[in-house]
Amino acid sequence: MPVATTSTTVVGIYPGSFDPITNGHLDLIERGARLVDQLVVAILQNERKKPLFSVEERMEMLCEVVRPFENVVVDCFNGLLVDFASRRGARVILRGIRAVSDYEYELQMALMNRRLRPEIETVFLMAGEAFSFLSSQMVKEVIGLGGDVTGLVPPLVEARLKHRLLGETL
Ligand code: PNS
């Protein structure tokens, strides 16, 4: 029996703080971009979280590191994620799960988002095992204390972090 096909474009949103982007995020972007026609990496504008980098700086770093991916774009949003997703015509929200500890928070968000807009589905990808312990917060702490984070963040992000936290020249 022939399978019906439609030509609708599937847009996915990958939201987060990205303060800054790590190689764990990048791994998810690469894998997520294969599942949708267009992936929008969306930075939450939330100054209450006291970010290390401004939204503009995070946008700049993200745009640079996603340049190799043809179907990935970067944007920022405030307000409800599902409203932003809807404005962008997205049917999918993409999130990564690193460990069991992420599950409860992610479940809560996914269920709330589904209640707000049932037509948008949250899809979870398991973090690559090499990144299952990695967070932006930890990277900032380790660099700030003089530790080596080679391979955990893109080189341009490492340089920006060392500039911001250790005063090294860019
Ligand atoms: O990388 P993070 O900081 O865990 O990302 C959290 C994010 C941005 C996905 C989440 O805070 C979010 O969606 N905020 C927007 C506000 C919102 O929609 N809240 C209701 C659903 S929980």
Side-chain angles (χ1 to χ4, degrees):
M1 193 148 142
V3 178
T5 56
T6 57
S7 59
T8 48
T9 302
V10 179
V11 178
I13 303 281
Y14 178 38
S17 304
F18 303 108
D19 185 41
I21 180 165
T22 68
N23 284 345
H25 295 128
L26 202 53
D27 173 58
L28 222 87
I29 291 170
E30 185 173 357
R31 289 159 53 210
R34 289 191 220 120
L35 302 177
V36 294
D37 297 300
Q38 185 189 55
L39 185 66
V40 182
V41 181
I43 304 170
L44 173 68
Q45 286 178 306
N46 184 359
E47 292 307 313
R48 267 188 301 162
K49 278 197 172 181
K50 301 225 180 314
L52 180 63
F53 294 103
S54 68
V55 172
E56 292 72 26
E57 288 171 319
R58 282 178 270 163
M59 286 271 279
E60 209 182 300
M61 286 185 268
L62 266 163
C63 286
E64 195 57 40
V65 299
V66 305
R67 203 190 291 277
F69 307 108
E70 272 179 12
N71 65 335
V72 177
V73 294
V74 181
D75 201 352
C76 56
F77 74 102
N78 49 34
L80 284 177
L81 170 63
V82 285
D83 289 346
F84 171 75
S86 178
R87 284 199 299 279
R88 296 286 317 215
R91 279 197 264 153
V92 172
I93 291 171
L94 189 70
R95 291 287 289 173
I97 294 210
R98 290 166 298 189
V100 180
S101 48
D102 282 341
Y103 176 78
E104 215 165 310
Y105 170 60
E106 293 298 333
L107 178 69
Q108 219 174 4
M109 275 204 299
L111 293 180
M112 179 56 79
N113 286 334
R114 191 198 291 165
R115 186 174 187 280
L116 293 167
R117 284 197 189 254
E119 68 278 16
I120 299 177
E121 201 63 62
T122 302
V123 172
F124 294 104
L125 293 186
M126 307 312 293
E129 64 262 37
F131 309 114
S132 59
F133 61 93
L134 184 58
S135 70
S136 300
Q137 191 50 47
M138 200 165 279
V139 166
K140 286 184 278 195
E141 187 173 328
V142 170
I143 286 213
L145 296 171
D148 182 16
V149 295
T150 309
L152 300 181
V153 290
L156 82 98
V157 174
E158 186 176 343
R160 293 286 194 105
L161 278 164
K162 285 182 172 166
H163 176 65
R164 181 62 47 92
L165 293 170
L166 304 174
E168 287 187 14
T169 45
L170 272 177

